[in-house]
Amino acid sequence: MGYKEQIQQDRIPRHVAIIMDGNGRWAKRQGMARMFGHRQGVETVHHITEAAAELGISYMTLYAFSTENWNRPKDEVDALMALLVDTIAKETPTLMKNNIRLQTIGDLSRLPQVTRDNFMACIEETTKNTGLTLVIALSYSARWELIRATQKIAAAVKEGEMLIEDINEEVIGGYLTTSNMPDPDLLIRTSGELRISNFLLWQLAYSELYFTDCLWPEFTPEEFYRAIVDYQHRERRFGKTSEQVR
Ligand code: FPP
């Protein structure tokens, strides 16, 4: 029996976050340039997004470009930005066909104007779609996000809009870029690296973590279903005892 058939429909994760890693290594193994891996990675994004929408997942957040990725060689950064523009142009019909709404999180002010404009246009076009919300993390890092939230909260206190005693989990969550989404139930990272790498540090507090050696370009819907099945066999306790949550 395939993994898809093992998925329990009543326990679909609401929010899946993915660190898509291993494009460069995959390309190198084929004797190709790194961009060949990123282009193949976009194919994986297409297939996994369709699979997530079909399963009825509400939110999927993809780590496409981190704050730290700006330090990569300029050629690769430029090529990645161009690839993002091409992908958005090419994939907007797929999003419409599958009733998918696009959103982004991250410091978009650092993106080239054309990249930002393309994302904004796609967000606008898909805003009324009611199926999966696909969230692309672009120029994102959790520490950037937490600094920004702290600055905003400090400013609100200074302006007398909030008391220090009022600051709690909900308030902090409300100042994060993910304020309109549930926390991820499941985090997937490909390529065998066992790290969080500055992704959604606050939001992943109680997420189930799933690591696979599969490189992102070779991560298939079947591998995705396998991760969902694995998640469904976990017991989520949120700090309580096993007896309390049963
Ligand atoms: C990690 O592989 C991948 C990235 C840093 C970029 C991922 C971007 C895409 C797949 C395009 C995304 C497109 C959309 C529309 C979301 P790596 O370069 O770190 O690989 P390595 O660790 O093997 O060097």
Side-chain angles (χ1 to χ4, degrees), residues 89-159:
K90 200 174 117 218
E91 295 291 348
T92 302
T94 314
L95 300 179
M96 293 308 293
K97 189 183 93 200
N98 291 283
N99 194 22
I100 298 168
R101 184 166 66 127
L102 189 79
Q103 284 192 1
T104 55
I105 56 172
D107 185 2
L108 298 200
S109 72
R110 293 186 70 178
L111 297 178
Q113 180 86 39
V114 55
T115 311
R116 196 168 50 241
D117 289 351
N118 269 268
F119 270 93
M120 287 310 175
C122 182
I123 289 168
E124 181 80 17
E125 187 171 342
T126 61
T127 189
K128 293 215 168 74
N129 289 345
T130 55
L132 171 72
T133 298
L134 178 66
V135 185
I136 310 292
L138 278 174
S139 189
Y140 171 89
S141 75
R143 289 183 177 182
W144 162 81
E145 172 179 55
L146 289 166
I147 290 166
R148 176 179 167 274
T150 308
Q151 288 171 341
K152 289 186 177 195
I153 292 168
V157 171
K158 190 176 167 197
E159 294 301 316

Coordinates of all heavy atoms in Angstrom, one line a residue, residues 89-159:
A89 N 5.3 34.0 -12.7 CA 4.6 34.2 -14.0 C 4.0 32.9 -14.5 O 2.9 32.8 -14.9 CB 5.6 34.8 -15.0
K90 N 4.9 31.8 -14.4 CA 4.5 30.6 -15.0 C 3.4 29.9 -14.1 O 2.5 29.2 -14.6 CB 5.7 29.7 -15.1 CG 5.6 28.5 -16.1 CD 6.9 27.8 -16.3 CE 6.7 26.4 -15.8 NZ 7.9 25.8 -15.2
E91 N 3.5 30.0 -12.8 CA 2.7 29.2 -11.9 C 1.4 29.8 -11.5 O 0.6 29.2 -10.8 CB 3.5 28.8 -10.7 CG 4.7 27.8 -11.0 CD 4.3 26.5 -11.4 OE1 3.1 26.1 -11.3 OE2 5.1 25.7 -11.9
T92 N 1.2 31.1 -11.7 CA 0.0 31.8 -11.3 C -1.3 31.0 -11.8 O -2.2 30.8 -11.0 CB -0.1 33.3 -11.6 OG1 1.1 33.9 -11.0 CG2 -1.3 34.0 -11.1
P93 N -1.3 30.6 -13.1 CA -2.5 29.8 -13.5 C -2.7 28.5 -12.7 O -3.8 28.1 -12.4 CB -2.2 29.5 -15.0 CG -1.2 30.5 -15.4 CD -0.4 30.8 -14.2
T94 N -1.6 27.9 -12.3 CA -1.7 26.6 -11.5 C -2.3 27.0 -10.1 O -3.2 26.2 -9.6 CB -0.3 26.0 -11.2 OG1 0.5 26.0 -12.4 CG2 -0.4 24.7 -10.5
L95 N -1.9 28.1 -9.6 CA -2.5 28.5 -8.3 C -4.0 28.8 -8.4 O -4.8 28.3 -7.6 CB -1.8 29.8 -7.7 CG -0.3 29.7 -7.5 CD1 0.3 31.0 -7.0 CD2 0.0 28.6 -6.5
M96 N -4.4 29.5 -9.5 CA -5.8 29.8 -9.8 C -6.6 28.5 -9.9 O -7.7 28.3 -9.4 CB -6.0 30.7 -11.0 CG -5.4 32.1 -10.8 SD -6.0 32.9 -9.3 CE -7.7 33.2 -9.7
K97 N -6.0 27.6 -10.7 CA -6.7 26.3 -11.0 C -7.0 25.5 -9.8 O -8.0 24.8 -9.6 CB -5.9 25.5 -12.0 CG -6.6 24.2 -12.6 CD -5.6 23.4 -13.5 CE -5.0 22.4 -12.7 NZ -3.8 21.8 -13.2
N98 N -6.0 25.5 -8.8 CA -6.1 24.8 -7.6 C -6.7 25.5 -6.4 O -6.6 25.1 -5.3 CB -4.7 24.2 -7.2 CG -4.3 23.1 -8.2 OD1 -4.7 22.0 -8.2 ND2 -3.4 23.5 -9.1
N99 N -7.2 26.8 -6.7 CA -7.8 27.6 -5.6 C -6.9 27.9 -4.5 O -7.2 27.9 -3.3 CB -9.1 26.8 -5.1 CG -10.0 27.7 -4.2 OD1 -10.0 28.9 -4.4 ND2 -10.7 27.1 -3.3
I100 N -5.6 28.2 -4.9 CA -4.5 28.4 -3.9 C -4.3 29.9 -3.8 O -4.2 30.6 -4.8 CB -3.2 27.7 -4.3 CG1 -3.4 26.2 -4.4 CG2 -2.1 28.1 -3.4 CD1 -2.3 25.4 -5.0
R101 N -4.1 30.4 -2.5 CA -3.9 31.8 -2.3 C -2.4 31.9 -1.9 O -1.9 31.2 -1.1 CB -4.7 32.2 -1.0 CG -4.7 33.6 -0.6 CD -5.8 33.8 0.4 NE -5.6 33.1 1.6 CZ -5.7 33.6 2.8 NH1 -5.9 34.9 3.0 NH2 -5.5 32.8 3.9
L102 N -1.7 32.9 -2.5 CA -0.3 33.1 -2.3 C -0.1 34.2 -1.2 O -0.8 35.2 -1.2 CB 0.4 33.5 -3.6 CG 2.0 33.6 -3.4 CD1 2.6 32.2 -3.5 CD2 2.6 34.4 -4.5
Q103 N 0.8 34.0 -0.3 CA 1.3 35.0 0.6 C 2.8 34.9 0.7 O 3.4 33.9 0.3 CB 0.6 34.8 2.0 CG -0.8 35.2 2.1 CD -1.3 35.2 3.5 OE1 -0.6 35.0 4.5 NE2 -2.6 35.5 3.7
T104 N 3.4 36.0 1.3 CA 4.8 35.9 1.6 C 5.1 36.4 3.0 O 4.2 37.1 3.6 CB 5.6 36.9 0.6 OG1 5.0 38.2 0.8 CG2 5.5 36.5 -0.8
I105 N 6.2 35.9 3.6 CA 6.7 36.5 4.8 C 8.1 36.9 4.6 O 8.8 36.2 3.8 CB 6.5 35.6 6.0 CG1 7.2 34.2 5.8 CG2 5.0 35.4 6.4 CD1 7.2 33.3 7.0
G106 N 8.6 37.9 5.2 CA 10.0 38.3 5.1 C 10.2 39.7 4.8 O 9.2 40.5 4.7
D107 N 11.4 40.2 4.7 CA 11.8 41.6 4.4 C 11.8 41.9 2.9 O 12.8 41.9 2.3 CB 13.1 41.9 5.1 CG 13.5 43.3 5.0 OD1 12.6 44.1 4.5 OD2 14.6 43.7 5.4
L108 N 10.6 42.0 2.4 CA 10.4 42.2 0.9 C 11.1 43.4 0.4 O 11.4 43.5 -0.8 CB 9.0 42.2 0.5 CG 8.1 40.9 0.8 CD1 6.9 40.9 -0.1 CD2 8.9 39.6 0.6
S109 N 11.4 44.4 1.3 CA 12.0 45.6 0.9 C 13.4 45.4 0.3 O 13.9 46.2 -0.4 CB 12.1 46.6 2.1 OG 13.0 46.2 3.0
R110 N 14.0 44.3 0.7 CA 15.3 44.0 0.2 C 15.3 43.3 -1.2 O 16.4 43.1 -1.9 CB 16.1 43.0 1.1 CG 16.4 43.7 2.5 CD 17.3 42.8 3.3 NE 18.7 42.7 2.8 CZ 19.6 42.0 3.4 NH1 19.4 41.4 4.6 NH2 20.8 41.9 2.9
L111 N 14.2 42.9 -1.7 CA 14.1 42.2 -3.0 C 14.2 43.2 -4.1 O 13.8 44.4 -4.0 CB 12.7 41.5 -3.1 CG 12.4 40.4 -2.1 CD1 11.0 39.8 -2.4 CD2 13.4 39.3 -2.2
P112 N 14.7 42.8 -5.3 CA 14.6 43.7 -6.5 C 13.2 44.1 -6.7 O 12.3 43.3 -6.5 CB 15.2 42.8 -7.6 CG 15.9 41.7 -6.9 CD 15.3 41.5 -5.6
Q113 N 13.0 45.3 -7.2 CA 11.6 45.8 -7.5 C 10.8 44.9 -8.3 O 9.6 44.6 -8.0 CB 11.8 47.2 -8.2 CG 10.5 47.8 -8.5 CD 10.0 48.7 -7.4 OE1 10.8 49.3 -6.7 NE2 8.7 48.6 -7.1
V114 N 11.4 44.3 -9.4 CA 10.6 43.5 -10.3 C 10.1 42.2 -9.6 O 9.0 41.7 -9.8 CB 11.4 43.1 -11.6 CG1 12.8 42.5 -11.3 CG2 10.6 42.2 -12.5
T115 N 11.0 41.6 -8.7 CA 10.6 40.4 -8.0 C 9.5 40.8 -7.0 O 8.4 40.0 -7.0 CB 11.8 39.9 -7.1 OG1 13.0 39.8 -8.0 CG2 11.5 38.5 -6.6
R116 N 9.6 41.9 -6.3 CA 8.6 42.3 -5.4 C 7.2 42.5 -6.1 O 6.2 42.1 -5.7 CB 9.0 43.5 -4.6 CG 8.2 43.9 -3.4 CD 8.9 44.9 -2.5 NE 9.2 46.1 -3.3 CZ 10.5 46.6 -3.4 NH1 11.5 45.9 -2.8 NH2 10.7 47.6 -4.0
D117 N 7.3 43.3 -7.2 CA 6.1 43.6 -8.0 C 5.4 42.3 -8.5 O 4.2 42.2 -8.4 CB 6.4 44.4 -9.2 CG 6.8 45.8 -8.8 OD1 6.7 46.2 -7.6 OD2 7.3 46.6 -9.7
N118 N 6.2 41.3 -8.9 CA 5.6 40.1 -9.4 C 4.9 39.3 -8.3 O 3.8 38.8 -8.5 CB 6.7 39.2 -10.0 CG 6.8 39.4 -11.5 OD1 6.2 38.7 -12.3 ND2 7.6 40.4 -11.8
F119 N 5.5 39.3 -7.1 CA 4.9 38.6 -6.0 C 3.6 39.3 -5.6 O 2.5 38.7 -5.4 CB 5.8 38.5 -4.8 CG 6.6 37.2 -4.9 CD1 7.9 37.2 -5.5 CD2 6.1 36.0 -4.3 CE1 8.6 36.0 -5.5 CE2 6.8 34.8 -4.4 CZ 8.1 34.8 -5.0
M120 N 3.7 40.7 -5.5 CA 2.5 41.5 -5.1 C 1.3 41.2 -6.1 O 0.2 41.1 -5.7 CB 2.8 43.0 -5.1 CG 3.7 43.3 -3.9 SD 3.0 42.7 -2.4 CE 4.2 43.1 -1.2
A121 N 1.6 41.2 -7.4 CA 0.6 41.0 -8.4 C -0.1 39.6 -8.2 O -1.3 39.5 -8.3 CB 1.2 41.1 -9.8
C122 N 0.7 38.6 -7.9 CA 0.2 37.2 -7.8 C -0.6 37.1 -6.5 O -1.6 36.5 -6.4 CB 1.4 36.2 -7.8 SG 0.8 34.5 -7.6
I123 N -0.1 37.8 -5.4 CA -0.9 37.8 -4.1 C -2.2 38.4 -4.4 O -3.3 37.9 -3.9 CB -0.1 38.6 -3.0 CG1 1.2 37.8 -2.6 CG2 -0.9 38.9 -1.8 CD1 2.2 38.5 -1.8
E124 N -2.2 39.5 -5.1 CA -3.5 40.2 -5.4 C -4.5 39.3 -6.2 O -5.6 39.2 -5.9 CB -3.1 41.5 -6.2 CG -4.3 42.4 -6.6 CD -4.7 43.3 -5.5 OE1 -3.9 43.4 -4.5 OE2 -5.8 43.8 -5.6
E125 N -3.9 38.7 -7.2 CA -4.7 37.9 -8.1 C -5.3 36.7 -7.4 O -6.5 36.3 -7.7 CB -3.9 37.4 -9.3 CG -4.8 36.7 -10.4 CD -4.0 36.4 -11.7 OE1 -2.9 37.1 -11.9 OE2 -4.5 35.6 -12.5
T126 N -4.6 36.1 -6.4 CA -5.1 34.9 -5.8 C -5.8 35.2 -4.4 O -6.1 34.2 -3.7 CB -3.9 33.9 -5.6 OG1 -2.9 34.6 -4.7 CG2 -3.2 33.6 -6.9
T127 N -5.9 36.4 -4.1 CA -6.4 36.8 -2.7 C -7.7 36.2 -2.4 O -8.0 35.9 -1.2 CB -6.3 38.3 -2.5 OG1 -6.5 38.6 -1.2 CG2 -7.4 39.0 -3.4
K128 N -8.6 36.0 -3.4 CA -10.0 35.5 -3.0 C -10.0 33.9 -3.0 O -11.1 33.4 -2.8 CB -11.0 36.0 -4.0 CG -11.1 37.5 -3.9 CD -12.6 38.0 -4.2 CE -12.9 39.4 -3.8 NZ -12.3 40.4 -4.8
N129 N -8.9 33.3 -3.4 CA -8.9 31.8 -3.4 C -9.1 31.3 -1.9 O -8.6 31.9 -1.0 CB -7.7 31.3 -4.0 CG -7.7 31.5 -5.5 OD1 -8.7 31.8 -6.1 ND2 -6.6 31.4 -6.2
T130 N -9.8 30.2 -1.8 CA -10.2 29.7 -0.5 C -9.6 28.4 -0.1 O -9.9 27.8 1.0 CB -11.7 29.6 -0.4 OG1 -12.1 28.7 -1.5 CG2 -12.4 30.9 -0.5
G131 N -8.7 27.8 -0.9 CA -8.1 26.5 -0.6 C -6.8 26.7 0.2 O -6.8 27.5 1.1
L132 N -5.8 26.0 -0.2 CA -4.5 26.1 0.4 C -4.0 27.6 0.4 O -4.1 28.2 -0.6 CB -3.5 25.2 -0.3 CG -2.0 25.3 0.1 CD1 -1.8 24.7 1.5 CD2 -1.1 24.6 -0.9
T133 N -3.4 28.0 1.5 CA -2.6 29.3 1.5 C -1.2 28.9 1.4 O -0.6 28.2 2.3 CB -2.9 30.1 2.8 OG1 -4.2 30.5 2.8 CG2 -2.0 31.4 2.8
L134 N -0.5 29.3 0.3 CA 0.9 29.0 0.1 C 1.7 30.2 0.5 O 1.6 31.2 -0.1 CB 1.1 28.6 -1.4 CG 2.6 28.3 -1.8 CD1 3.1 27.1 -1.1 CD2 2.7 28.2 -3.3
V135 N 2.5 30.0 1.5 CA 3.3 31.1 2.1 C 4.8 30.9 1.7 O 5.4 29.9 2.0 CB 3.2 31.2 3.6 CG1 3.9 32.4 4.2 CG2 1.8 31.1 4.1
I136 N 5.3 31.9 1.0 CA 6.7 31.8 0.5 C 7.5 32.7 1.5 O 7.3 33.9 1.6 CB 6.9 32.3 -0.9 CG1 5.9 31.6 -1.9 CG2 8.4 32.0 -1.4 CD1 6.1 30.1 -2.0
A137 N 8.5 32.1 2.2 CA 9.4 32.9 3.0 C 10.5 33.4 2.2 O 11.3 32.6 1.6 CB 9.9 32.1 4.2
L138 N 10.6 34.7 2.1 CA 11.6 35.4 1.1 C 12.3 36.4 1.9 O 11.7 37.3 2.5 CB 10.8 36.1 0.1 CG 10.3 35.3 -1.1 CD1 9.4 36.3 -2.0 CD2 11.4 34.8 -1.9
S139 N 13.6 36.4 1.9 CA 14.4 37.3 2.7 C 13.9 37.3 4.1 O 13.7 38.3 4.8 CB 14.3 38.7 2.1 OG 15.3 39.6 2.7
Y140 N 13.7 36.1 4.6 CA 13.1 35.8 5.9 C 14.2 35.2 6.8 O 14.9 34.3 6.4 CB 11.9 34.9 5.8 CG 11.4 34.5 7.2 CD1 10.5 35.2 7.9 CD2 11.9 33.3 7.8 CE1 10.1 34.9 9.2 CE2 11.5 33.0 9.1 CZ 10.6 33.7 9.8 OH 10.2 33.4 11.0
S141 N 14.2 35.6 8.1 CA 14.8 34.8 9.2 C 14.0 35.1 10.4 O 13.5 36.2 10.6 CB 16.3 35.2 9.3 OG 16.4 36.4 10.0
A142 N 14.0 34.1 11.3 CA 13.2 34.3 12.5 C 13.8 35.3 13.4 O 13.1 36.1 14.1 CB 13.2 32.9 13.3
R143 N 15.1 35.5 13.5 CA 15.7 36.6 14.3 C 15.3 37.9 13.8 O 15.1 38.9 14.5 CB 17.2 36.4 14.4 CG 17.5 35.1 15.3 CD 19.0 35.0 15.5 NE 19.2 33.9 16.4 CZ 20.4 33.5 16.8 NH1 21.5 34.1 16.4 NH2 20.6 32.5 17.7
W144 N 15.3 38.1 12.4 CA 14.9 39.3 11.8 C 13.5 39.6 12.3 O 13.1 40.8 12.7 CB 15.0 39.2 10.3 CG 14.1 40.3 9.6 CD1 14.5 41.6 9.4 CD2 12.8 40.2 9.1 NE1 13.5 42.3 8.8 CE2 12.4 41.4 8.6 CE3 11.9 39.1 9.1 CZ2 11.1 41.6 8.1 CZ3 10.6 39.3 8.5 CH2 10.3 40.6 8.0
E145 N 12.6 38.6 12.2 CA 11.2 38.8 12.5 C 11.0 39.1 14.0 O 10.2 40.0 14.4 CB 10.5 37.5 12.2 CG 9.1 37.4 12.7 CD 8.4 36.1 12.3 OE1 9.0 35.0 12.7 OE2 7.4 36.1 11.7
L146 N 11.8 38.5 14.9 CA 11.7 38.8 16.3 C 12.2 40.1 16.7 O 11.7 40.8 17.6 CB 12.4 37.6 17.1 CG 11.6 36.3 17.1 CD1 12.5 35.1 17.6 CD2 10.3 36.4 17.9
I147 N 13.3 40.6 16.0 CA 13.8 41.9 16.3 C 12.7 43.0 15.9 O 12.4 43.9 16.6 CB 15.1 42.2 15.5 CG1 16.2 41.4 16.0 CG2 15.5 43.7 15.5 CD1 17.4 41.3 15.1
R148 N 12.1 42.7 14.7 CA 11.1 43.7 14.2 C 9.9 43.7 15.1 O 9.4 44.8 15.5 CB 10.7 43.1 12.8 CG 9.6 43.8 12.1 CD 9.4 43.2 10.7 NE 8.1 43.5 10.1 CZ 7.0 43.0 10.3 NH1 6.8 42.0 11.2 NH2 5.9 43.4 9.6
A149 N 9.5 42.5 15.6 CA 8.3 42.5 16.5 C 8.7 43.2 17.8 O 7.9 44.0 18.4 CB 8.0 41.0 16.8
T150 N 9.9 43.0 18.3 CA 10.3 43.6 19.6 C 10.3 45.1 19.4 O 9.8 45.9 20.3 CB 11.7 43.1 20.0 OG1 11.7 41.7 20.0 CG2 12.1 43.6 21.4
Q151 N 10.8 45.6 18.3 CA 10.8 47.1 18.1 C 9.4 47.6 18.1 O 9.1 48.7 18.6 CB 11.5 47.4 16.7 CG 13.0 47.1 16.8 CD 13.7 47.2 15.5 OE1 13.1 47.1 14.4 NE2 15.0 47.4 15.5
K152 N 8.5 46.9 17.4 CA 7.1 47.4 17.3 C 6.4 47.4 18.7 O 5.7 48.3 19.0 CB 6.3 46.5 16.3 CG 6.7 46.8 14.9 CD 5.8 46.0 13.9 CE 6.2 46.4 12.5 NZ 5.2 46.0 11.5
I153 N 6.7 46.4 19.5 CA 6.1 46.3 20.8 C 6.6 47.4 21.7 O 5.9 48.1 22.4 CB 6.3 44.9 21.4 CG1 5.5 43.8 20.6 CG2 5.9 44.9 22.9 CD1 5.9 42.4 21.0
A154 N 8.0 47.6 21.6 CA 8.6 48.6 22.4 C 8.0 50.0 22.0 O 7.7 50.8 22.9 CB 10.1 48.6 22.2
A155 N 7.8 50.2 20.7 CA 7.2 51.5 20.3 C 5.8 51.7 20.8 O 5.4 52.8 21.3 CB 7.2 51.6 18.8
A156 N 5.0 50.6 20.8 CA 3.6 50.6 21.3 C 3.6 51.0 22.8 O 2.8 51.8 23.3 CB 2.9 49.3 21.0
V157 N 4.6 50.4 23.6 CA 4.6 50.7 25.0 C 5.0 52.1 25.2 O 4.4 52.9 26.0 CB 5.6 49.7 25.7 CG1 5.9 50.2 27.1 CG2 5.1 48.3 25.7
K158 N 6.0 52.6 24.4 CA 6.5 53.9 24.6 C 5.4 55.0 24.3 O 5.3 56.0 24.9 CB 7.7 54.1 23.6 CG 8.4 55.4 23.8 CD 9.6 55.5 22.8 CE 10.2 56.9 22.8 NZ 11.0 57.1 21.6
E159 N 4.6 54.6 23.3 CA 3.5 55.5 22.9 C 2.3 55.4 23.9 O 1.3 56.1 23.7 CB 3.0 55.2 21.5 CG 4.0 55.5 20.4 CD 4.4 56.9 20.3 OE1 3.6 57.8 20.4 OE2 5.6 57.2 20.2

